[in-house]
Amino acid sequence: MNDDLPVELLAAPAVRAFVAALNTQDKEAFEAALAPGATMSDDGNERDLAEWTEREIFSSGGHMDVESQSDDGLTLVARYRNDTWGEMRTSWVFTVEGGKVARFETGQA
């Protein structure tokens, strides 16, 4: 049985837009979900957002199945998979400003 949260039930609209765009591989919608100058880290290391998203999401078929949300939808635990690394359990913490994702921090959960 699949207990994943449907994207439409994610509580934070900016996070919902981010996950929906990621899962549909829609670069335009993904960029629209981000605030200007958005930043990110992966396993505690600052990364170049454009390079990381191209490598880990768009050129490798990234997909996120959300298991749970907390902190009003700003913290997710998800099974993340792509063609490079396979599937792993990950945590995602989002900072939203002006209705857009200004920062996200991801890493293994």
Side-chain angles (χ1 to χ4, degrees):
M1 183 169 172
N2 184 339
D3 291 329
D4 295 332
L5 286 171
V7 173
E8 59 271 13
L9 294 183
L10 296 177
V15 173
R16 189 167 55 242
F18 177 102
V19 175
L22 185 156
N23 284 349
T24 59
Q25 298 286 292
D26 186 334
K27 284 186 186 182
E28 204 170 288
F30 186 84
E31 290 173 6
L34 299 173
T39 61
M40 58 96 41
S41 70
D42 182 6
D43 284 327
N45 298 304
E46 290 297 312
R47 302 287 186 204
D48 178 280
L49 184 115
E51 286 178 11
W52 188 91
T53 55
E54 181 56 37
R55 182 179 67 250
E56 300 292 338
I57 297 172
F58 297 111
S59 67
S60 62
H63 190 87
M64 181 187 302
D65 291 312
V66 178
E67 294 179 359
S68 65
Q69 64 180 330
S70 57
D71 190 27
D72 295 324
L74 297 177
T75 300
L76 306 178
V77 173
R79 289 185 325 282
Y80 186 79
R81 66 181 179 274
N82 67 25
D83 297 338
T84 304
W85 304 108
E87 183 174 288
M88 64 185 75
R89 196 159 186 258
T90 56
S91 65
W92 298 74
V93 179
F94 295 89
T95 302
V96 173
E97 295 172 2
K100 301 207 181 255
V101 172
R103 179 171 177 78
F104 67 93
E105 299 172 13
T106 187
Q108 292 195 48

